[in-house]
Amino acid sequence: MFELALVCREADVEIVSDALMEIEALAVSVEDADADTEAERALFGEPGMPAPKPGWERSVVKSLFSSEAEATEAATLLLAQDWAAEVHVQSVQAVPEQDWVRLTQSQFAPVEITPSFWIVPSWHQAPPAATRVMRLDPGLAFGTGTHPTTRMCLRWIAQHAELAAGWDRVLDYGCGSGILAIGAALHGAQHIDAVDIDPAALRATADNAAANATPQVHAADPAAAAGTYPLVLANILASPLKLLAPLLCAHVAPGGHLVLAGILAHQADDLKAAYAPWLALEVSEQDEGWIRMTAQRKS
């Protein structure tokens, strides 16, 4: 394969990307032309905040083609357009042959949740100290155990395993890959409703539950969440968690626990205020700027 790299303004990123796909590029990606310099800047977004921009002030749009001739022809066609006056070719170069499967797998190592509880990709051996293992491979839905929010939620489950006998019902709201639901199942929860609005997440959850022999995990639309649960888990983001406060709190059984993540440290007070009419949230762990917040309903 050959890579065509084009430098363009932020305003041209979308039209350049669309044009490359129209002329049948195999893949298109956008990078910061000023990465690793003082001019580098982050692009990110969160519900309730402005959406991330399509590119950087100076962006590099990279595309893949089957041959050098196709990459060169694509550059020639694109630069001939009236709107492409500020678009420049940075390079056309061969992509080194690689074992992409092996390269991808090398980026995912076993993840320690506690000394005895690990998340292990299917191509790795479990560490000798692991007495409880979740098998989880990277996929389309969020949640492989590498993010601090996921680790903190799983750590809470592991640290409260003595309560699992009473977790006859658990709710994982916004289940993603099903990682929290499976974690609860592996620690003894009897029935877990793993709900999400994304069909891809539900498929991933069902597949991952099957791979871990946890039939007590039931992936479904959020409408399946009914009644109260001794444990309610939600690892989403702060803005939707605020909106969901009355719903999530209504699902917490007397004496039950609520575990929330996807929250940055500076958002703690906002979350406490949002949940105050129902439950008293507290920060119970912090990791890399993210926090886990928990509450328990009085019996």
Side-chain angles (χ1 to χ4, degrees), residues 53-289:
K53 296 181 179 180
W56 290 265
E57 190 172 328
R58 287 194 335 113
S59 294
V60 178
V61 181
K62 294 184 176 181
S63 53
L64 292 178
F65 292 89
S66 298
S67 67
E68 185 175 12
E70 289 181 7
T72 302
E73 182 181 5
T76 302
L77 287 171
L78 194 146
L79 295 180
Q81 306 304 310
D82 293 339
W83 47 261
E86 298 296 325
V87 180
H88 307 285
V89 175
Q90 183 183 74
S91 63
V92 176
Q93 58 185 358
V95 178
E97 289 290 336
Q98 297 208 52
D99 183 339
W100 295 105
V101 172
R102 187 178 298 277
L103 177 63
T104 300
Q105 291 181 347
S106 71
Q107 297 171 353
F108 292 91
V111 177
E112 179 182 351
I113 304 303
T114 70
S116 61
F117 178 32
W118 290 69
I119 300 170
V120 184
S122 60
W123 54 85
H124 278 283
Q125 292 291 324
T131 58
R132 186 174 278 111
V133 174
M134 185 189 306
R135 290 291 183 179
L136 197 71
D137 293 343
L140 293 176
F142 174 82
T144 58
T146 58
H147 196 274
T149 61
T150 310
R151 295 198 306 267
M152 287 190 290
C153 288
L154 289 171
R155 195 150 41 239
W156 189 96
I157 292 170
Q159 291 170 345
H160 293 79
E162 74 278 1
L163 302 175
W167 295 344
D168 58 328
R169 303 181 76 227
V170 172
L171 175 61
D172 178 5
Y173 201 96
C175 59
S177 63
I179 188 169
L180 302 187
I182 295 166
L186 291 176
H187 284 83
Q190 300 165 43
H191 177 103
I192 304 98
D193 287 326
V195 304
D196 205 294
I197 60 173
D198 185 353
L202 298 181
R203 288 193 297 272
T205 295
D207 290 345
N208 289 329
N212 284 278
T214 52
Q216 61 269 56
V217 173
H218 303 272
D221 182 89
T228 60
Y229 300 79
L231 175 60
V232 176
L233 305 158
N235 180 17
I236 316 177
L237 284 171
S239 293
L241 283 175
K242 286 193 286 186
L243 294 174
L244 289 167
L247 183 149
L248 294 178
C249 291
H251 282 308
V252 181
H257 293 266
L258 176 66
V259 179
L260 305 180
I263 309 161
L264 293 167
H266 67 82
Q267 298 168 326
D269 289 342
D270 285 346
L271 266 293
K272 287 181 181 180
Y275 281 76
W278 303 279
L279 291 170
L281 277 181
E282 295 294 338
V283 176
S284 56
E285 189 176 353
Q286 182 165 339
D287 189 348
E288 297 181 19

